[in-house]
Amino acid sequence: MAPRLGFLCWWGTEKDSQKGTPVVVTMEKPNFSVVEIDGPDAAFRPVEKSRGKNAKQVTWVLLLKANRAVGCITWLVTVLWALLGTIKKRLIYRQGVAIEDGKLGRGRLLFGVIRAFLVTSMAILAFEMLAYFRGWHYFQNPNLHIPQASDLQGLLHSLYVAWLTFRADYIAPLIQTLSKFCIVLFLIQSVDRMILCFGCLWIKCKRIEPKIQGDPFRLDDVEGAGHKYPMVLVQIPMCNEREVYEQSISAVCQIDWPRDRLLIQVLDDSDDENIQVLIKAEVAKWSQKGVNIIYHHRLIRTGYKAGNLKSAMSCDYVRDYEFVAIFDADFQPNPDFLKLTVPHFKDNPELGLVQARWSFVNKDENLLTRLQNINLCFHFEVEQQVNGVFLNFFGFNGTAGVWRIKALEESGGWLERTTVEDMDIAVRAHLNGWKFVFLNDVKVLCEVPESYEAYRKQQHRWHSGPMQLFRLCLPAIISSKIAAWKKANLILIFFLLRKLILPFYSFTLFCIILPLTMFVPEAELPLWVVCYVPVFMSLLNILPSPKSFPFIIPYLLFENTMSVTKFNAMVSGLFQLGSSYEWIVTKKAGRSSESDLLATAERDSKVMNQALIYRGASESELSELSHLKECEKVAAAPVKKVNKIYRKELALAFLLLLASLRSLLAAQGVHFYFLMFQGVTFLLVGLDLIGEQMS
């Protein structure tokens, strides 16, 4: 029998059970001898892994691992050092932060107060912790026991007992009185929110909505069909709107309405000549396509947006039009906007305004836009809709609305006395007996501010203007001929409760009293004030936008912190401080919508036909085209972002975090954990907003 060569056994691939038919090879005259081998030779035996490693190899392996560990530590140290260096430059030395001289000193007083409060709170918190761990926690007993002088040991102990006496006799009663007053205001405002929510629920259940009777544009008579369309004037006020002017003009020019009964006014208040040239070219482009559009520019730019609208309404040709629709530069109405809004005026001579709802193209851009979307959805879905159905009055939002020109003229027209010209004209029209309609189903695309700086300036204008208007309109409201309950609604609810009380109690209760309680436990707020009621009200605010439920805690904390800006704006408007008349155009990002696809196609066709244009153009036209291209290059140049550290907000975040830590000494339970989570979450929100500026 021929020998079997066991190579498969050597490599461990032979199995115990053989498969197939064995093959036997025989040789007639073999010239070799057969030797039976029991196992593989020693040279072919597998070498154990433990063998063959000497001390030198082990040393090299350890050195390699140590090198990797040192490299990782070095990288972490480098990153930490770079981060500390950046914080030092921007937070301490303010390098790389370009701020105007007039704005550099603005807000220093508030920041100084918060910083002093923060340092004092840290010192008192350390003192409190020392006293707590040393067993000096006398405040656990409701009846404060002051030991005798003979029982006192040590100067530190004496100072601590003196502090307990002073805060229990003088500080705590004042804080308790103020907190009770704010809690009453808080409950009143909460009841108002609940009533609005119940009204919205009633509207949804009963399916109450403004309806158009019949089909006002039915073409029964082809020859006289055009007379069913009233004359409509569309105004687009803008000021240095380089990012959004093109898409706004394009969307308005595509509105479905007879061209002979529609006029579009582009009210350009830009002081940049390059932007003026671009807007003029856009207007000329649509004018060549047959759109009835004109360009209007003021030489004397006074009164901001109100002055711009007032100047446009003074033109002679405006008297031929019956209605006027207003769109800000970042708004993009759908083609059927006028067909969904203007018919509501038919057979309703008392109707002066039809307001549409806003819809946001960048609501999911970052955390700030998501939080704004929560507030604005509640404003339109609940406040505007309920007031429109039950009161026929609400504040005009300044854009995405259609006015009856007669109502504007009888109410005094646009006035330049405040920064909220939209609310001003709405209040005066209401005093003259005009009614308003809000269409929740008609939505117009627009943008919300994506940076914290733009959002803060916008909120300052929105909260200082109503207080200016309240001071100016109060005598007119009292002496008006409307019903008494309408006067009470305007004064007590529209102005005082929603414009004055809301920022006052939010700032006082959650940004002053809550941090004070961390070293004055006698004035500790009830758990339902700090936790249950705010969470419940936040849930009500988020109901119109259910996808925002994961952001309920950041929304609650962010709103409480933004009350600092809102309270400051409210005070400046109420007492006519200098910043109350400040108007800064909200910066836009120029987010695209579906209607921008047409504009993109037009730009492509324009590039393809550029050679034909040059061939048939004269020298003057060629010079204009070259100037336009230069302006487009200047306008398209990227603007370098300015990194800013908002020190007031960051200091306030740490202050609320300290308030959460202090609650451990007062209530070691659910209250502490909620406030700890509150402080940490708000700190993360603040860092996220700062990261948006540094990205």
Side-chain angles (χ1 to χ4, degrees), residues 651-676:
L652 186 59
F654 282 108
L655 187 60
L656 293 181
L657 184 60
L658 286 176
S660 304
L661 293 174
R662 173 59 183 82
S663 63
L664 176 62
L665 304 178
Q668 301 176 0
V670 179
H671 190 186
F672 162 71
Y673 292 109
F674 174 77
L675 288 180
M676 173 67 75

Side-chain angles (χ1 to χ4, degrees), residues 17-129:
S17 59
Q18 298 181 357
K19 296 181 180 180
T21 304
V23 179
V24 179
V25 181
T26 57
M27 300 181 67
E28 295 180 355
K29 296 180 179 181
N31 55 0
F32 55 85
S33 60
V34 178
V35 180
E36 184 178 357
I37 301 176
D38 297 333
D41 190 67
F44 297 96
R45 292 177 182 173
V47 181
E48 297 180 1
K49 294 183 179 180
S50 60
R51 298 179 56 186
K53 290 185 178 180
N54 50 28
K56 187 175 182 180
Q57 292 176 336
V58 174
T59 304
W60 278 108
V61 172
L62 294 177
L63 288 175
L64 181 60
K65 293 183 179 180
N67 183 39
R68 293 179 179 176
V70 172
C72 182
I73 295 175
T74 305
W75 180 79
L76 292 176
V77 172
T78 303
V79 172
L80 181 61
W81 185 260
L83 179 61
L84 293 177
T86 303
I87 294 175
K88 181 179 179 181
K89 289 180 180 180
R90 300 197 176 276
L91 188 60
I92 301 177
Y93 297 108
R94 307 292 288 172
Q95 295 180 4
V97 179
I99 302 179
E100 299 178 5
D101 296 337
K103 298 181 180 180
L104 185 60
R106 196 173 301 170
R108 283 184 175 179
L109 179 61
L110 180 60
F111 173 66
V113 172
I114 295 178
R115 183 170 54 184
F117 193 20
L118 177 62
V119 173
T120 306
S121 303
M122 292 177 64
I124 295 178
L125 178 62
F127 187 75
E128 290 276 353
M129 293 180 65

Side-chain angles (χ1 to χ4, degrees), residues 274 278 624-636:
N274 295 326
L278 294 176
E624 292 180 0
L625 288 173
S626 61
H627 181 57
L628 179 60
K629 292 184 65 177
E630 292 177 0
C631 294
E632 289 178 351
K633 291 180 180 179
V634 173

Side-chain angles (χ1 to χ4, degrees), residues 335-354:
D336 59 349
F337 176 82
L338 292 181
K339 289 188 176 181
L340 295 176
T341 54
V342 174
H344 289 274
F345 291 96
K346 186 179 180 181
D347 300 330
N348 194 358
E350 296 181 351
L351 183 60
L353 168 66
V354 174

Side-chain angles (χ1 to χ4, degrees), residues 338-461:
L338 292 181
K339 289 188 176 181
L340 295 176
T341 54
V342 174
H344 289 274
F345 291 96
K346 186 179 180 181
D347 300 330
N348 194 358
E350 296 181 351
L351 183 60
L353 168 66
V354 174
Q355 174 71 58
R357 180 175 175 171
W358 299 0
S359 180
F360 311 105
V361 295
N362 60 338
K363 61 182 179 181
D364 296 325
E365 186 66 24
N366 52 42
L367 179 60
L368 179 61
T369 58
R370 292 187 177 97
L371 299 180
Q372 292 179 74
N373 182 60
I374 295 174
N375 270 340
L376 293 173
C377 284
F378 182 85
H379 170 69
F380 288 107
E381 184 86 13
V382 180
E383 291 181 347
Q384 298 290 78
Q385 186 172 208
V386 171
N387 291 329
V389 170
F390 295 102
L391 303 178
N392 293 121
F393 166 72
F394 48 82
F396 175 47
N397 295 116
T399 178
V402 181
W403 276 95
R404 190 189 296 270
I405 295 181
K406 182 180 178 181
L408 291 177
E409 294 174 350
E410 291 184 357
S411 303
W414 300 103
L415 299 182
E416 308 168 7
R417 55 182 182 176
T418 67
T419 57
V420 284
E421 73 292 330
D422 47 6
M423 186 181 296
D424 189 0
I425 188 62
V427 171
R428 287 186 281 116
H430 180 59
L431 295 179
N432 286 329
W434 291 98
K435 296 181 179 180
F436 302 162
V437 167
F438 178 77
L439 303 179
N440 190 56
D441 296 332
V442 181
K443 300 180 181 180
V444 181
L445 290 176
C446 63
E447 292 185 15
V448 289
E450 297 183 5
S451 66
Y452 180 69
E453 180 184 8
Y455 174 69
R456 187 175 61 176
K457 293 177 180 178
Q458 182 194 68
Q459 293 299 307
H460 186 277
R461 185 176 77 248

